[in-house]
Amino acid sequence: MTLTTPAKAPTQEGRWRTLGLRADVRNLSLLGVLAVLIAVGGLTRPAEFLATSNLQLVLTQASVIGVVTVGMTFVITSGGIDLSVGAIVALASVWATTLATQEFGFAGILFTAVAVGLGCGLVNGVLVAYGGMVPFIATLAMLASARGLALQITDGKTQIVTVPSVLDLGVPDAYVLGIPPLVLVFAAVTGAGWLLLNRTTFGRRTIAVGGNPEAARLAGIDVRRQRLFLYLLSGLCCGIAAFLLVVLAGSGQNTNGNLYELDAIAAAIIGGTLLSGGRGTIVGSVLGVLVFTTITNIFALNNLQSDVQQIAKGAIIVAAVLVQRRTVRDGDG
């Protein structure tokens, strides 16, 4: 009589290896898309697109929304959403550029931007984690409130920055080996975000809460506290992004950060972060930001209308979500 050995169920280590392989494939695919976009830009506008100043501009513009996207990636990985990031950036930027704040110089502007971001993140976190509000509703309320307060502070006017030490960060003389300081900040935030998500207990708890909150609670994780910290982290990233935007624009406006929430969510999704939670990737999110920023730059250089640009972005988002659904279905099977 021949005995047959039952097939072994895939181990936890095997599952993680499979997810890691899929993440590598996604990142390589995004790198391929980025390479194609660079080729298109180089063929259509070679002199302008491949100029060092334009490449520096692309990276600088990606830095602001990129920092916001790092925070958004953590929130989405936990199964939440933050629709208020753009409004928080606007509020932090105008609060940091009032005449009273500018009297305290560089430190005053930076501190105010970060403090406002953290304050808004704290309100979001308390409402979601301890108030039991749905993240969509809580952050939507913050979006409306922050936009209204930003408009009230500025009275619809642009607030010009007059602090030389802040403005000097945006000039070519401040570049380090040809790299703008804003890009260096973005790289630092990205590196810190990657380490936090992939190499710390905080990151593992974030993934666990997004995958199954009840199982995470039974495993001893304080789900409410974790969610509070995640919205604080998102607010911190918004505060940093607001300061970078102040440096880049040299002013504060209530219209700053318009549609940042959609760009950040889209970049995270096409990078491989599951909108339902339980899986997130900082590297993929950053690549998603670079893809969108490059598309915007190519369209601008070729004088194409913004509506076509939005259609292209929408098509990319739909394609990314469809790929995600297929990946999840194959993984379940």
Side-chain angles (χ1 to χ4, degrees):
M1 183 175 66
T2 304
L3 297 176
T4 58
T5 303
K8 293 183 178 180
T11 62
Q12 187 68 19
E13 182 180 358
R15 293 192 185 97
W16 280 110
R17 286 179 179 176
T18 302
L19 289 175
L21 179 60
R22 288 173 179 165
D24 291 339
V25 172
R26 283 193 302 271
N27 291 340
L28 289 174
S29 300
L30 284 173
L31 284 173
V33 172
L34 191 58
V36 170
L37 290 173
I38 292 174
V40 171
L43 290 174
T44 56
R45 291 286 180 176
E48 296 89 347
F49 181 79
L50 297 177
T52 301
S53 58
N54 184 64
L55 297 179
Q56 290 171 335
L57 176 63
V58 170
L59 291 175
T60 301
Q61 292 176 337
S63 298
V64 180
I65 185 62
V67 171
V68 174
T69 303
V70 170
M72 181 69 79
T73 300
F74 277 89
V75 173
I76 295 178
T77 301
S78 71
I81 198 73
D82 191 347
L83 300 180
S84 64
V85 290
I88 294 175
V89 169
L91 179 59
S93 69
V94 300
W95 207 323
T97 54
T98 60
L99 292 176
T101 303
Q102 293 193 51
E103 290 181 359
F104 294 94
F106 182 98
I109 293 176
L110 175 59
F111 174 81
T112 302
V114 172
V116 171
L118 283 172
C120 293
L122 176 63
V123 173
N124 281 336
V126 170
L127 291 176
V128 172
Y130 295 96
M133 291 186 68
V134 177
F136 183 92
I137 300 300
T139 57
L140 185 62
M142 175 59 71
L143 183 157
S145 301
R147 282 288 178 195
L149 184 55
L151 178 60
Q152 187 177 52
I153 291 175
T154 61
D155 195 23
K157 301 175 182 178
T158 299
Q159 298 178 164
I160 304 299
V161 177
T162 58
V163 180
S165 56
V166 173
L167 298 175
D168 289 345
L169 289 177
V171 301
D173 290 342
Y175 292 2
V176 180
L177 300 177
I179 304 175
L182 275 66
V183 178
L184 295 177
V185 173
F186 176 35
V189 171
T190 299
W194 185 88
L195 289 174
L196 189 61
L197 184 61
N198 297 283
R199 293 292 184 268
T200 67
T201 303
F202 182 88
R204 290 193 291 272
R205 288 175 177 172
T206 300
I207 294 172
V209 169
N212 191 324
E214 181 60 21
R217 186 186 66 81
L218 293 175
I221 297 175
D222 190 332
V223 175
R224 293 190 299 179
R225 185 176 63 182
Q226 185 70 17
R227 285 175 172 162
L228 173 63
F229 286 160
L230 288 166
Y231 280 98
L232 276 172
L233 178 60
S234 179
L236 173 63
C237 289
C238 289
I240 296 173
F243 178 78
L244 298 183
L245 190 57
V246 167
V247 172
L248 182 62
S251 63
Q253 303 177 56
N254 66 284
T255 56
N256 283 344
N258 188 35
L259 297 181
Y260 272 20
E261 56 278 357
L262 299 183
D263 288 342
I265 293 171
I269 290 174
I270 72 168
T273 299
L274 280 182
L275 193 56
S276 57
R279 188 183 75 200
T281 162
I282 298 296
V283 174
S285 295
V286 170
L287 290 175
V289 169
L290 292 176
V291 166
F292 279 140
T293 307
T294 304
I295 290 175
T296 301
N297 184 258
I298 292 174
F299 274 65
L301 291 177
N302 286 276
N303 297 319
L304 296 176
Q305 296 181 356
S306 59
D307 54 351
V308 180
Q309 173 186 322
Q310 297 302 324
I311 293 172
K313 285 185 177 182
I316 293 175
I317 295 171
V318 170
V321 172
L322 291 177
V323 170
Q324 272 196 6
R325 290 185 62 184
R326 181 174 180 179
T327 301
V328 173
R329 185 171 61 249
D330 292 345
D332 292 341

